[in-house]
């Protein structure tokens, strides 16, 4: 195993020490970095499983994200926006603040009050950030729906949150096409009487029909006042509802508060990304997902950072687009996903090598376990062996990162594929079925043993589900549903979803262990593994592979791959069936939906697929399985 001691020279030993002595006092210390209208009376009220941080403190998220910097350095650039079609816009902190105040005043004029829900269904344009902060300014609870979702998905979420107002656009751009948004909203809410207004931003010059609830953004916003007093909100005031990616089933309406959430984000952004005045930060996540909420909207703005925001496909019009952005804006911190990296890697080294990437100083990844091979490629080809990689493990529910290297605090050796250690003030462990901590190098379930500030308040209007999903497997520990291992150095290795663990001949294998084994072979771009019942072994392994550009499948390659997996993971990981496909079923946030493979394989109903990216991928998988069951049938009758 290679380790990489690439650091930024930071060596703060006190932070960890203080955090381990008293995590509540430690987070209280961190809370002082934010602006509070009124101080809290108590740092934490813990009525398991409900946590309230900074009780009675009064705070406003938009004030911390905008006013704080606008007052110090009003001309500091907040957003450098680029559209897929090359259009560019930029906003200083002062401009963004004025814009947010205008929209906040418009929302107020529409009757939106503190605690009301506002659904936001917009493409990745500055107005998306503006809408969220406008809600936060007046205490409205935003609930963003990723702009790729269909009308049925919107309908379900709007009904669940009972939003009074919806903010949308005529359309957005993706791969050179206009994605029509307003029409989708019309279909979703035509008979929902509780939706009072739909505010429509004109972005894509897409013709729309205006109904009686519809209002044009420009008509109202242009003339609105650009000053709006921020509401002094209780620390526990709900900031937003966000539905999870739906990788393991029906998306859950995660409810986040204000004070604790912001404290978590402020500190983790500083520790993980080592943010400096001169940095240009770029996170490729869509604001439709939690990474966009936490590490595009709130965390960077609270730090007065300058960030690039991009609308559209990051490989359009060519796969070099992302590297063009890095070169053009001199991006110093890049935060993306393993799925995007596997895609960049598939196109080869020539593209990134032909661009000037020398501005990069820190690289990040989130969303899935990163295959060590992909980590090494990121490190070598993109970071030129100079940039530390922060592999950040967290969830919609955790609000912010819990496990990651923290180069802003300390320089420790990195191990490709490991998210390293729990953050200061975060108590994570790997335990067995009964909740006992496991010795090093033993596979088990990841848990969080103490409450943390970014922790969800609950699931929207469903405390019972909140208790049963996260607090019933272990009564006193938060259960994220992930499978992991902690090695002798205390480093965590995330092995995929606990539900996806395979039991082959008495051995427990994490899906990501086997998938990474395949991805480490030079011809393979992506791999997805699932199990089907086997009379003798318990489960037999099925693998779906997407090959790199220019590679074609053959019996010979199949043999090489089997030999390879036996060597790198062990004979136990030998798949019984191996398929080459052109794409894998993924969620719209880019994660492989293994549960779907499993359902198809077991001939079960495939459940909720509202977050599936491309239904054609399921057809491909289904065809493969049909062939498989025929072969099994034939073998049985032989
Ligand atoms: P759902 O809960 O609806 O099935 P989801 O879990 O995919 O969807 P998110 O909250 O967006 O929705 O994703 C969180 C999950 O992503 C984690 O539980 C973990 O499985 C995975 N994950 C995120 N970051 C990492 C990482 N750095 N390494 C490994 N896994 C990660
Ligand atoms: Mg989840």
């Amino acid at each position: 195993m290679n380790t990489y001691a690439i650091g930024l020279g930071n060596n703060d030993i006190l932070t960890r020490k203080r955090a381990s002595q008293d995590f509540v006092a430690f987070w209280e210390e961190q809370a002082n970095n934010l602006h509070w209208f009124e101080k809290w009376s108590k740092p934490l009220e813990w009525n398991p499983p409900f946590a309230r941080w900074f009780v009675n403190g009064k705070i406003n998220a938009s004030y911390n994200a905008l006013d704080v910097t606008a007052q110090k350095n009003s001309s500091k650039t907040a957003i450098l926006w680029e559209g897929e079609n090359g259009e560019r816009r930029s906003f200083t902190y002062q401009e963004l603040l004025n814009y947010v105040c205008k929209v906040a005043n418009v929302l107020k004029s529409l009757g939106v009050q503190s605690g009301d829900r506002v659904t936001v269904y917009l493409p990745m344009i500055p107005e998306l950030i503006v809408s969220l902060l406008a809600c936060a300014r007046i205490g409205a609870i935003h609930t963003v729906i990723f702009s790729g979702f269909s009308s049925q998905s919107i309908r379900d979420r709007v009904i669940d949150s009972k939003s009074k107002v919806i903010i949308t656009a005529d359309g957005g751009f993706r791969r050179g096409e206009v994605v029509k948004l307003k029409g989708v909203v019309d279909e979703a809410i035509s008979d929902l009487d509780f939706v009072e207004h739909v505010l429509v931003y004109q972005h894509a010059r897409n013709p729309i029909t205006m109904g009686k609830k519809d209002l044009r953004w420009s008509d109202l916003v242009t003339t609105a006042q650009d000053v709006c007093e921020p509401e002094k909100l209780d620390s526990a005031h709900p900031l937003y509802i966000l539905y999870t990616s739906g990788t393991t089933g029906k998306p859950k309406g995660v409810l986040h508060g204000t004070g604790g959430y912001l404290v978590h984000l402020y500190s983790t952004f500083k520790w993980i990304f080592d943010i400096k005045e001169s940095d240009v930060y770029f996170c490729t996540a869509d604001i439709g997902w939690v990474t966009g909420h936490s590490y595009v909207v709130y965390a960077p703005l609270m730090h007065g950072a300058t960030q690039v925001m991009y609308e559209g496909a990051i490989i359009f019009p060519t796969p070099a687009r992302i590297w063009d952005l890095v070169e053009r804006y001199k991006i110093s911190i890049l935060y993306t996903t393993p799925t995007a990296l596997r895609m960049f890697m598939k196109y080869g080294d020539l593209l990134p090598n032909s661009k000037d990437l020398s501005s990069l100083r820190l690289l990040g990844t989130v969303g899935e376990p990163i295959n060590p091979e992909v980590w090494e490629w990121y490190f070598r080809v993109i970071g030129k062996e100079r940039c530390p990689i922060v592999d950040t493990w967290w969830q919609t529910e955790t609000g912010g990162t819990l496990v990651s290297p923290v180069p802003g605090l300390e320089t420790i050796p990195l191990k490709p594929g490991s998210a390293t250690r729990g953050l200061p003030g975060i108590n994570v462990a790997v335990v067995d079925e009964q909740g006992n901590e496991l010795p090093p190098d033993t596979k088990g379930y990841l848990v969080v043993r103490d409450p943390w500030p970014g922790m969800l308040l609950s699931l929207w209007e469903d405390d019972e589900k909140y208790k049963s999903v996260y607090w019933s497997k272990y009564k006193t520990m938060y259960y994220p549903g992930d499978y992991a291992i902690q090695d002798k150095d205390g480093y965590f290795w995330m092995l995929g979803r606990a539900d996806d663990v395979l039991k082959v001949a008495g051995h427990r294998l994490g899906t990501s262990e086997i998938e990474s084994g395949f991805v480490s072979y030079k011809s393979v771009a992506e791999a997805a593994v699932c199990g089907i019942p086997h009379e003798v072994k318990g489960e037999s392994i099925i693998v779906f592979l997407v090959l790199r550009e220019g590679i074609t499948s053959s019996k010979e390659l199949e043999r090489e791959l089997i030999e390879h997996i036996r060597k790198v993971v062990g004979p136990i990981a030998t798949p019984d069936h191996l398929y080459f496909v052109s794409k894998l079923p993924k969620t719209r946030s880019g994660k492989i939906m293994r549960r779907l493979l499993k359902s198809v394989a077991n001939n079960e109903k495939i459940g909720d697929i509202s977050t599936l990216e491309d239904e054609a991928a399921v057809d491909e998988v289904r065809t493969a399985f049909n062939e498989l069951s025929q072969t099994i049938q034939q073998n049985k009758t032989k």
Side-chain angles (χ1 to χ4, degrees):
M1 166 60 58
N2 292 328
T3 54
Y4 299 80
I6 303 295
L8 302 169
N10 293 310
N11 193 13
D12 164 2
I13 42 171
L14 286 181
T15 300
R16 268 196 197 275
K17 198 167 161 209
R18 279 201 305 273
S20 61
Q21 281 161 352
D22 181 346
F23 76 94
V24 179
F26 170 75
W27 284 116
E28 188 169 23
E29 220 174 88
Q30 298 298 316
N32 287 316
N33 291 321
L34 268 61
H35 175 275
W36 297 82
F37 298 113
E38 272 175 48
K39 261 221 143 136
W40 53 92
S41 54
K42 204 172 161 196
L44 172 66
E45 208 167 73
W46 179 222
N47 297 316
F50 298 96
R52 294 292 175 264
W53 285 88
F54 312 115
V55 183
N56 295 325
K58 298 280 180 284
I59 191 164
N60 185 287
S62 90
Y63 189 94
N64 276 282
L66 299 170
D67 305 52
V68 168
T69 300
Q71 283 162 17
K72 276 196 303 225
N73 188 1
S74 61
S75 60
K76 175 86 196 269
T77 303
I79 302 172
L80 295 161
W81 178 82
E82 185 168 310
E84 198 185 69
N85 59 5
E87 196 188 337
R88 291 181 206 173
R89 294 160 76 194
S90 78
F91 291 84
T92 65
Y93 273 83
Q94 186 64 50
E95 287 164 345
L96 201 60
L97 171 60
N98 293 349
Y99 200 179
V100 165
C101 286
K102 278 170 169 278
V103 177
N105 284 325
V106 168
L107 291 176
K108 274 192 193 172
S109 74
L110 297 179
V112 177
Q113 294 177 351
S114 184
D116 285 345
R117 275 79 59 209
V118 173
T119 289
V120 184
Y121 181 63
L122 284 172
M124 277 293 280
I125 53 176
E127 283 67 21
L128 176 48
I129 295 186
V130 169
S131 299
L132 268 46
L133 295 172
C135 289
R137 199 152 189 95
I138 62 171
I141 304 171
H142 57 74
T143 162
V144 179
I145 303 179
F146 172 64
S147 63
F149 276 132
S150 65
S151 61
Q152 187 59 46
S153 310
I154 299 172
R155 189 179 166 79
D156 295 344
R157 288 163 177 74
V158 171
I159 290 177
D160 192 60
S161 64
K162 293 274 176 324
S163 290
K164 204 172 186 175
V165 169
I166 298 183
I167 304 179
T168 188
D170 55 340
F173 295 96
R174 192 155 181 91
R175 292 179 194 270
E177 306 268 320
V178 173
V179 183
K180 299 184 177 86
L181 302 177
K182 166 74 166 57
V184 181
V185 171
D186 289 345
E187 209 181 305
I189 61 140
S190 58
D191 59 340
L192 301 182
D193 292 339
F194 59 83
V195 179
E196 293 173 15
H197 302 286
V198 179
L199 190 58
V200 191
Y201 180 76
Q202 200 77 30
H203 170 60
R205 295 204 188 88
N206 178 44
I208 47 169
T209 38
M210 297 291 281
K212 59 179 189 313
K213 289 182 183 176
D214 302 340
L215 300 161
R216 280 190 199 274
W217 175 286
S218 58
D219 290 350
L220 302 180
V221 174
T222 321
T223 52
Q225 278 258 349
D226 64 2
V227 178
C228 173
E229 273 299 300
E231 286 288 323
K232 297 180 173 63
L233 300 165
D234 200 82
S235 175
H237 185 81
L239 182 61
Y240 65 81
I241 305 167
L242 179 65
Y243 295 86
T244 56
S245 301
T247 312
T248 54
K250 195 171 155 47
K252 300 169 277 286
V254 171
L255 182 69
H256 276 293
T258 308
Y261 174 74
L262 295 179
V263 170
H264 190 122
L265 294 187
Y266 185 93
S267 301
T268 54
F269 195 69
K270 187 171 64 175
W271 300 333
I272 297 169
F273 296 105
D274 183 46
I275 192 76
K276 300 268 195 290
E277 184 61 32
S278 55
D279 276 314
V280 180
Y281 168 83
F282 179 37
C283 169
T284 63
D286 194 288
I287 293 171
W289 309 114
V290 74
T291 306
H293 279 61
S294 296
Y295 295 107
V296 175
V297 183
Y298 292 106
L301 293 178
M302 275 195 288
H303 279 274
T306 297
Q307 69 176 315
V308 172
M309 180 182 189
Y310 176 75
E311 180 202 1
I314 201 75
I315 52 164
F316 191 86
T318 75
R321 183 67 182 256
I322 175 136
W323 314 124
D324 282 335
L325 290 172
V326 172
E327 188 177 82
R328 181 155 49 251
Y329 295 101
K330 299 196 168 36
I331 290 165
S332 55
I333 303 173
L334 176 66
Y335 191 26
T336 191
T337 60
T339 195
L341 290 167
R342 287 190 297 259
M343 177 173 66
F344 302 144
M345 218 175 139
K346 192 170 140 181
Y347 291 111
D349 301 0
L350 219 58
L351 290 178
N353 283 344
S354 67
K355 304 287 169 186
D356 180 7
L357 307 182
S358 60
S359 55
L360 290 171
R361 71 176 191 95
L362 202 153
L363 304 171
T365 162
V366 62
E368 282 185 297
I370 183 164
N371 322 95
E373 193 72 13
V374 177
W375 193 104
E376 300 216 23
W377 181 85
Y378 199 20
F379 183 75
R380 193 170 39 80
V381 179
I382 307 308
K384 314 289 181 209
E385 304 187 10
R386 289 183 291 104
C387 310
I389 294 185
V390 291
D391 174 1
T392 63
W393 179 91
W394 59 294
Q395 314 178 290
T396 310
E397 296 87 339
T398 65
T401 302
L402 299 192
V403 184
S404 167
V406 282
L409 283 181
E410 64 196 10
T411 297
I412 58 162
L414 301 175
K415 302 184 191 184
S418 165
T420 74
R421 306 190 289 173
L423 262 49
I426 303 292
N427 187 356
V428 273
V430 175
V431 302
D432 65 14
E433 282 295 339
Q434 286 71 43
N436 305 310
E437 186 160 358
L438 285 164
D441 294 330
T442 317
K443 294 174 201 172
Y445 304 101
L446 191 71
V447 290
V448 192
R449 293 189 288 200
D450 292 322
W452 66 99
M455 172 176 168
L456 69 167
L457 297 178
S458 185
L459 292 176
W460 176 247
E461 293 197 322
D462 205 345
D463 287 349
E464 288 313 308
K465 187 162 178 197
Y466 166 69
K467 288 186 208 159
S468 74
V469 175
Y470 310 104
W471 299 93
S472 61
K473 187 170 174 78
Y474 307 112
K475 292 283 173 297
T476 57
M477 298 187 282
Y478 172 84
Y479 174 59
D482 280 19
Y483 200 54
I485 204 169
Q486 195 175 14
D487 71 15
K488 288 192 184 65
D489 299 324
Y491 283 37
F492 289 91
W493 298 79
M494 307 305 176
L495 302 176
R497 314 298 174 132
D499 299 355
D500 289 334
V501 170
L502 310 183
K503 289 171 214 90
V504 186
H507 295 267
R508 284 172 163 269
L509 291 164
T511 43
S512 86
E513 297 173 84
I514 315 174
E515 288 165 5
S516 284
F518 280 107
V519 172
S520 72
Y521 198 67
K522 58 186 186 301
S523 323
V524 177
E526 286 192 289
V529 161
C530 77
I532 57 169
H534 185 278
E535 285 159 21
V536 184
K537 292 192 281 189
E539 265 182 310
S540 65
I541 301 171
I542 314 266
V543 58
F544 291 86
L545 300 171
V546 177
L547 297 175
R548 288 207 198 175
E549 289 287 286
I551 311 277
T552 40
S553 59
S554 64
K555 278 279 162 217
E556 178 57 26
L557 178 60
E558 214 170 292
R559 268 194 298 277
E560 283 168 24
L561 282 163
I562 299 215
E563 208 172 291
H564 175 77
I565 202 72
R566 292 175 69 91
K567 206 163 71 204
V568 296
V569 185
I572 192 74
T574 311
D576 281 2
H577 303 279
L578 187 149
Y579 293 101
F580 298 105
V581 288
S582 68
K583 49 181 169 269
L584 298 173
K586 288 188 191 168
T587 60
R588 284 170 190 268
S589 58
K591 299 171 197 228
I592 300 168
M593 263 175 153
R594 292 175 199 82
R595 73 167 164 92
L596 204 148
L597 300 176
K598 218 169 167 175
S599 313
V600 174
N602 292 313
N603 222 347
E604 292 162 1
K605 281 222 332 239
I606 54 177
D608 184 17
I609 53 160
S610 58
T611 69
L612 184 69
E613 170 74 35
D614 182 353
E615 287 198 29
V618 186
D619 297 337
E620 235 186 287
V621 167
R622 213 179 248 133
T623 312
F625 273 117
N626 287 342
E627 280 169 21
L628 166 67
S629 25
Q630 275 168 19
T631 326
I632 295 174
Q633 218 43 50
Q634 280 162 10
N635 288 347
K636 273 190 184 156
T637 50
K638 262 183 203 163

